[in-house]
Structures are given as structure tokens and as C-alpha cells.
Amino acid sequence: MTTERVVTIAWLYGSKMNIYGDRGNVLALAQRARWRGIEPHVVVVGIGEAIPPESDIFFFGGGQDQEQIAVSHDLTGAKGAAIKTSVEDGAALLSICGGYQLLGHEYRPHDAEPLPGIGLFDIESEAGTERFIGNVVIDSQWGTLVGFENHSGLTFLGETATPMGTVQVGRGNNGQDRTGGAIYENAIGCYLHGSLLPKNPKLADWLLSAGLQYRSGEGDLDPLNDEIEQTAHASALQRAFATR
Amino acid sequence: MSRPVTLSNVRLVGGVVAARAIARLIRTLGRGGGTSAPGLVAEWIDPAMLTRLTSRLPHGSIVVAGTNGKTTTSRMIADVLTAHGHKVVHNRSGSNLVRGVVSAFAAQASLTGNPGGDVAVIETDEAAFPEIVRLVRPRLVLLNNLFRDQLDRYGELDTIARTWKTSLASLGEETTVLFNADDPGLTAITRDLAAATIAFGLCERKHTLQLLPHAADAATCYACSADLHYSRIYVSHLGEWQCPSCGVKRPDLDVVGRDVELAGVESLAMTIDQHGESDRYEIGVPGLYNAYNTLAAVAATRHAGVPHETVRTALESFRSAFGRIERVSYRGRKLTLALVKNPVGFNEVLRMLTAATGALTVPTLIAINDLHADGRDVSWLWDVDFELLARGDGMLGATGLRGADMANRLKYAGVAEDRIRSFPTGLAAGLDAFVNQIPDGEQAYILPTYTAMLEIRKTLADRGAVETFWQQ
Ligand SMILES: [Zn+2]
């Protein structure tokens, strides 16, 4: 006799912040739960909508400039605070690109007012002059992570921030210090599209496990056959080194 | 009637001569179609060559732009104009950067700087559009659609729309802008122009989508940023739209397409209303996205003064551009090739292939490369609705440099693992391994990205299955 296991994925601004195939991350979390008999609930949280209290895992993708401004305004106040509190209590979170930037202290565009972030990560971002486009490989606690970056924003880690890993191929946070992404509690932010989670299944399962642990105190996951995922991972690594 | 070689012609002639010589050399060496290297040389010799050649066209230039359908549409227009007795200069091989356009002109121009035709049809890449418009000063600009494409190449959609808007605003009243009004983004950037505008769109009851697909863009109001409401959705974010907040809506249509009949992967028919006339067109290209291309081509050529009978007859014999949709017999198997290059295009191909039964029952090989012309970022595969393929029992194969990403995408789309086959990443080997799985006499689909299509086509051509494209 086991109780039904459920995991709730809150997809922040899913209709606006969804460029570069970032929904693959939500698909990966949902499918990897479903294949283990865990029922995924995906809730898209739009502008003006409150954070559902049952959120176990947050996903926050990238968007275009116009959308990023609207989202930044929406996050100030209670909504940003609710996300921060959940993460500090143990909820899992993955943010990519624009979403990652807005979870830092602020983002400074070239010719406009700075966009305030919620300060979950001790990072600051600013518009750069070069666009970093290409495959990325990062060494991390989950082994190699492989994805594709496409950003002109530069992110710098503050004193209390921990990088997600070290850049082996690509530019990472800022193209200068070889740091890639940031990690705080069970929250991760980085510039890796690709989509990231489907071909980095260890990271996907780490987030899933953290979310379940937060919900029920029970984060164990049955193993899955990841042959197709591992092949995709290996081939992406090979292309990253071949095109570096 | 050839123009005398004057002093001001010398640089122009030099560019034409050099470009033609190099095109010939490259073709002889067999390095490819020779479609853009000569343009590079011609541009270097005389950057103003394109302006001077196009200014000598008695009937001016038609520039065709849009994320999807520009190759097919410009081919349709060129065919109709040719049928009407024009001599058309056209970058027909699909090299649509400035270099490719210069090449096409260099190949056709006489050594005395005569453009070699009386009208030009110029297909342009999204990024090259402002530069081409500046160099060519077109008589007619045709805007098909603006979708999310390979973002590592083109930058974000907002950026393209901004540069297009600036470019369109520079046109005077001697130019007409023909735009797809079903696209809210195109409607936004064609407002308040000095140029004349003509709106085209569909009024179609049968072929509608229930929801905006995931890959849809620009579903927010350009005036007030509210989410747009659609009474009908046709393809991606194209449809009958209006803003529930400020009331902005799809403009009244000057040219209307309706009563579209789709015949599988073969053909389509539709009625087009304009200037108070209604005409039925039948055409040998499939899918609703080609109904848009037909509509655009009819609107453009009717605007250019071609009688509807001539348009109709020319389009009746139209077949699709190479690789867009092709049927090839290879080792006794009937292969249908369809180019896939971005989420919207891929969704429409899947919609066409599954239209008859609601599922994909024919074995299908998807070939994904990540070279520059494909887009180096394969993230876009996650924006395509492969979930449509979870039903059905046909084998789904993956090949190409990023075939492994494709197989993974299919798994997460809910396709049963025993239907997913990973073939060798090398395309010739991948193609043969796939074809070996197809019983003799049966049919199969092949869906390649751009460079994968070139390579598969070359493999097929080397083995005598199809002609190489630059010989067409
Ligand atoms: Zn509005």
C-alpha cells in the first residue's frame, strides 16, 4: 500500500518566457515523474497570478526584452517573496537565461532603467557588447552538463554566490571567470538552453528528488533506462568539443 | 539593343564578368551550386552593382520576405510572370543573402551591364531584408509571415520586426507593400507607411486549430500589450485576431482566400476573392501553409497586372521548390522528402502528414543537422509539437549530426521507445539503414533540415534517383 505520489511544477510565465525550447525542461521533469508513477501537475503562473502554495519545483525560462520588463514588474513584491521563501524552505528551482537574470539582484540594460530582480541568487547582470552563441560544457556536481548558450547579458557572482560549475566549452556567466550558472539551496540558474534537462537526466532527477523531498520528506527515485538520454548527452558533448 | 560600354559602366561590367567567371569555375570544380561565392566577388568589385542593375529593369523588382514560404512564393510569382511573357531575373536557387542575390543578377546580366530581364523576383533572408530593400528600391514588397526561426542566426523576433519596420518606413509611395494581415506582427509594422499597402488573409471555416500552438509568437497586442483573442487560428499565430482590451483587430482584407481543399501530400485548391472577382485555383503543392503561399503569389501577380486566366494556368502546373516537398523513387521505395527548418514549418509538415488518419502510419526518417545553415542550436526541436506523433504505430527514425537529440525529443513526446530507431549520424549510411527497413514498393517520409536535405539529395542524385538542383 503506497499513497499516490504527486509533484507540482510551477512554470513561471510559461506563455511569455518560453523561447529557445525551454519548455523541454518542463517536459523532462513531468515525464520523468510520470514514468515512475508519480503524477505531475504543471501549473503555468502568468502575470498577476499568485504562486500556488503547493509548488514543489519552479521553472523559469528566458524571454524577449519586452516580456522580460513586464515580468520584472510582476515579480517585485509578494510574488518574488513567495518564490524566495519556498526555495529557502527547500523547494527546487531551475531558471535559464532571462529567468536566471531576474532571480538575481538586478539586470542593467544598455539604454534603459535597471530591471530589479528578487535577489534569490547573489548575482548581478548587465548588457554586454558581444553575443555569446554556441555549445556549452560545464563540469558540475552532476558530471558534465551540456547545452547551448545564446545571450549578450553578463552575469557576475557576488561574494556569497556559488557557481553551478566550471566552464569547459563556451562562455558561461560572463566569458571572463569560467564560472557557469549559480546554485543556492535547491535552486539553479544558468544560461544553458538545449533543452537542458532532457539530455542531462542526472540534473533533472536531482531537481525532481529535491521537489519530492520538500513536499513529502520522501525524495527517493526508482532508476530509469536512460540509454537514449545518455546517447543524446554524449553526442551533444562531441559536437560541443568539435565546434568549440 | 545592347547598351554601349561607357566609362560609368566599367566597374559594373568588371563585377559581372568576375562573378560569372567564378560561378563557372566553381560549377566546373563541382564544389556545389556556385550560388554565392561569385556574388561575394561581385560585391567586392562593385557594391552598387545591384542598385544599377535593378534600376535598369523596366518593370522593377518584387522583394519577397518572410520566415516560411518565401522560396515557394517567389517561384510561383516568377513562373506566373514568365507565363505572362516577362523575362524574369530571379535568385531561384534560394541563395537569399545579399551575396546570393548579387550572384543571380551577375549570372544573368550581359557583359554590357544589361540586367538580362525586364522584371526581378528577389527572395530575401530575414536578416538581409533591410539591405536588399535599400539596394533594390522594390516596386512591390511581399511580406508572408514572421515566425520564430533559428534564433542563433537571426536574433530575437522583436529585433527583426524593428529593423523591418524601419526599412518599410523608408519606402515612398511608388512602392506597394503586400502583407499577410493574419499575422498581427506584420500588421503592426505596416501601419502608417508612406508606401501603399494591400492586406491579404484567409477566411476559412474548415482548417482551423483549437489552440495557439506552443511555437506561436506575437500573440500580444502591438498597441496595448494585452493577449490577443483569436476567433479562428490557421497556422501558428496566423488567424482572425483582435485585442479584447483596446479593440485593435485584423484589418479589412483586400485579397481573401477561402474554401481551401487539401488533398494530402499532393495538392490543394482554393478560391481567391479580389477586385470583386472570385477565382478558383488548383495547385500541385500540399498543406495549408501553401494556401498562404498561393494567396500571396496570386495577390502579387494580379497586382503586377497579370490577367487571372494566366495566373491560374501558370499555377496549375506549379510544383514545389526542390526539397520543400519532393517525391522520389529510390531502390523501389517511394520516398516523400519535406524540408523542415523551424518549429512552425515542422508543425505544419506534421499536420499535413497526419491529416488523413490523425496519426503517422508511414515510416519516417528525421534528419537533424546543426551546421550554420540549419541553426547551430537544436533547442528549437523542443518547440515542435511532436506529441502529435505519440499516436500511431509507424517507425520513427533519427539521423544526422544531432539525430540523438531528435530521438530523445521523440521519447519525451511520448512516442513508444520501440518505435524510435537511431540510425547512423552519417546521412548516406543513415538513409540506407532506414531504407533497408522499408519493404520494397512501400512508401516512407524523410524530413531533413537544410544541410541534411542537401546531403540526402546529393546521395540520392549520385545514385541516379533525382537531379541536382542547380541543373534545374
Ligand atoms: Zn490592444
Side-chain angles (χ1 to χ4, degrees):
Chain A
M1 271 276 295
T2 53
T3 51
E4 284 292 304
R5 291 176 88 188
V6 170
V7 64
T8 301
I9 302 159
W11 187 359
L12 300 174
Y13 312 104
S15 64
K16 290 193 185 294
M17 303 287 281
N18 67 352
I19 61 171
Y20 305 113
D22 282 341
R23 76 158 165 176
N25 295 305
V26 177
L27 290 176
L29 291 167
Q31 290 290 52
R32 296 182 73 78
R34 197 173 283 128
W35 292 333
R36 294 171 162 114
I38 302 163
E39 193 187 332
H41 290 171
V42 177
V43 184
V44 175
V45 183
I47 284 186
E49 293 169 359
I51 300 294
E54 69 275 20
S55 306
D56 303 320
I57 306 177
F58 293 92
F59 176 70
F60 194 0
Q64 303 197 37
D65 296 353
Q66 220 32 51
E67 278 133 14
Q68 208 132 315
I69 294 167
V71 162
S72 162
H73 289 310
D74 190 61
L75 274 176
T76 51
K79 197 155 168 181
I83 296 169
K84 228 173 144 174
T85 306
S86 298
V87 169
E88 269 150 15
D89 289 348
L93 178 147
L94 175 67
S95 57
I96 310 284
C97 205
Y100 172 42
Q101 292 167 348
L102 291 179
L103 295 181
H105 298 300
E106 66 173 14
Y107 176 78
R108 293 184 293 276
H110 275 306
D111 47 6
E113 288 294 294
L115 291 181
I118 69 170
L120 176 74
F121 298 117
D122 179 19
I123 60 166
E124 289 189 5
S125 306
E126 62 188 38
T129 51
E130 183 191 352
R131 199 161 182 93
F132 298 157
I133 301 176
N135 290 300
V136 185
V137 177
I138 289 177
D139 277 345
S140 75
Q141 67 182 90
W142 307 276
T144 51
L145 297 175
V146 61
F148 195 95
E149 65 184 339
N150 188 343
H151 58 111
S152 52
L154 306 175
T155 294
F156 295 95
L157 303 181
E159 277 182 8
T160 68
T162 308
M164 178 181 79
T166 306
V167 175
Q168 295 302 318
V169 176
R171 311 303 285 274
N173 282 332
N174 49 52
Q176 297 165 28
D177 60 16
R178 293 189 69 204
T179 62
I183 174 167
Y184 172 71
E185 302 290 346
N186 297 326
I188 288 169
C190 64
Y191 281 108
L192 272 63
H193 305 284
S195 298
L196 179 62
L197 295 184
K199 54 178 165 269
N200 295 283
K202 276 188 204 158
L203 177 59
D205 282 354
W206 182 84
L207 289 164
L208 196 53
S209 173
L212 289 164
Q213 179 75 32
Y214 166 65
R215 173 61 38 204
S216 61
E218 171 57 68
D220 287 354
L221 294 174
D222 298 332
L224 295 174
N225 177 355
D226 281 341
E227 209 177 312
I228 289 179
E229 288 85 344
Q230 298 303 353
T231 307
H233 182 91
S235 120
L237 271 186
Q238 187 266 322
R239 289 299 292 155
F241 282 102
T243 59
R244 65 189 304 179
Chain B
M1 289 268 294
S2 71
R3 207 172 280 266
V5 180
T6 62
L7 203 57
S8 69
N9 268 340
V10 168
R11 286 186 75 214
L12 174 58
V13 170
V16 171
V17 171
R20 282 158 61 105
I22 289 177
R24 212 163 28 239
L25 184 65
I26 288 177
R27 224 173 280 136
T28 314
L29 295 174
R31 288 224 1 250
T35 47
S36 91
L40 189 64
V41 174
E43 259 184 308
W44 173 70
I45 293 174
D46 188 354
M49 175 169 140
L50 196 55
T51 307
R52 284 198 240 153
L53 286 173
T54 51
S55 70
R56 291 174 181 180
L57 295 164
H59 295 278
S61 304
I62 300 176
V63 167
V64 181
T67 316
N68 286 349
K70 54 187 174 287
T71 302
T72 302
T73 307
S74 56
R75 280 175 172 244
M76 287 177 176
I77 294 171
D79 284 6
V80 171
L81 293 177
T82 302
H84 189 49
H86 284 293
K87 190 149 188 341
V88 183
V89 184
H90 178 206
N91 54 330
R92 194 173 180 91
S93 65
S95 290
N96 54 20
L97 301 171
V98 175
R99 286 204 288 281
V101 176
V102 173
S103 290
F105 273 89
Q108 222 160 313
S110 75
L111 298 185
T112 53
N114 185 306
D118 57 7
V119 64
V121 178
I122 300 173
E123 169 194 338
T124 166
D125 175 89
E126 290 90 296
F129 176 77
E131 180 66 359
I132 297 221
V133 164
R134 190 182 69 77
L135 290 169
V136 165
R137 306 308 296 182
R139 201 184 75 182
L140 181 73
V141 172
L142 170 56
L143 304 176
N144 261 342
N145 50 60
L146 202 41
F147 298 128
R148 194 181 292 188
D149 201 21
Q150 300 139 8
L151 293 168
D152 60 307
R153 290 175 62 206
Y154 295 132
E156 294 172 9
L157 204 61
D158 291 348
T159 315
I160 299 169
R162 265 197 302 275
T163 62
W164 280 25
K165 188 176 172 156
T166 309
S167 171
L168 293 169
S170 75
L171 295 167
E173 55 192 12
E174 68 283 1
T175 303
T176 300
V177 176
L178 183 59
F179 71 99
N180 185 344
D182 291 353
D183 189 327
L186 289 184
T187 303
I189 62 172
T190 48
R191 287 159 65 236
D192 307 322
L193 300 180
T197 53
I198 300 176
F200 68 87
L202 290 178
C203 272
E204 178 57 42
R205 255 177 239 119
K206 220 163 96 187
H207 306 285
T208 59
L209 298 171
Q210 293 306 306
L211 287 170
L212 276 179
H214 170 80
D217 287 300
T220 52
C221 174
Y222 56 79
C224 74
S225 298
D227 287 346
L228 293 175
H229 173 81
Y230 283 80
S231 48
R232 287 173 189 157
I233 304 169
Y234 301 128
V235 170
S236 186
H237 65 272
L238 307 181
E240 295 176 36
W241 52 272
Q242 61 172 30
C243 175
S245 171
C246 75
V248 166
K249 62 180 169 74
R250 179 176 77 163
D252 291 340
L253 302 178
D254 303 302
V255 186
V256 177
R258 60 183 170 84
D259 296 322
V260 177
E261 293 291 334
L262 300 176
V265 296
E266 302 295 325
S267 64
L268 67 87
M270 70 190 297
T271 299
I272 296 177
D273 303 334
Q274 64 180 333
H275 310 308
E277 296 171 10
S278 286
D279 293 295
R280 189 84 182 153
Y281 294 87
E282 283 174 28
I283 182 157
V285 289
L288 191 60
Y289 57 103
N290 275 318
Y292 270 113
N293 297 335
T294 307
L295 182 59
V298 169
T301 50
R302 293 287 285 119
H303 177 78
V306 183
H308 72 82
E309 264 311 317
T310 312
V311 177
R312 184 162 60 195
T313 315
L315 289 184
E316 257 169 18
S317 56
F318 183 83
R319 295 295 175 268
S320 75
F322 95 100
R324 262 62 187 181
I325 287 278
E326 265 185 320
R327 284 169 284 273
V328 171
S329 174
Y330 178 59
R331 290 173 45 197
R333 281 75 165 181
K334 296 174 209 146
L335 308 182
T336 299
L337 274 75
L339 175 70
V340 290
K341 56 171 197 165
N342 55 33
V344 172
F346 212 144
N347 278 342
E348 288 308 307
V349 167
L350 296 179
R351 189 175 168 191
M352 174 180 77
L353 298 182
T354 56
T357 62
L360 187 60
T361 48
V362 173
T364 299
L365 178 67
I366 307 177
I368 304 295
N369 273 358
D370 65 350
L371 302 177
H372 178 77
D374 306 293
R376 290 183 295 143
D377 184 3
V378 293
S379 298
W380 67 277
L381 295 176
W382 294 89
D383 286 326
V384 180
D385 294 322
F386 291 106
E387 285 69 15
L388 205 62
L389 305 183
R391 291 183 50 207
D393 53 10
M395 180 247 288
L396 286 163
T399 180
L401 292 167
R402 299 306 284 262
D405 277 82
M406 187 62 234
N408 201 28
R409 174 70 187 95
L410 292 171
K411 177 175 176 182
Y412 281 88
V415 174
E417 278 189 62
D418 59 4
R419 290 175 59 204
I420 304 172
R421 301 280 172 77
S422 295
F423 292 107
T425 53
L427 290 167
L431 176 69
D432 271 339
F434 170 74
V435 168
N436 287 342
Q437 307 278 317
I438 313 297
D440 201 358
E442 293 292 305
Q443 62 163 340
Y445 299 143
I446 300 182
L447 313 179
T449 59
Y450 187 73
T451 69
M453 190 260 300
L454 293 182
E455 201 177 329
I456 287 174
R457 218 169 175 286
K458 185 172 183 308
T459 303
L460 292 167
D462 287 348
R463 299 170 189 183
V466 280
E467 287 189 296
T468 49
F469 75 93
W470 56 87
Q471 289 168 347
Q472 281 181 4

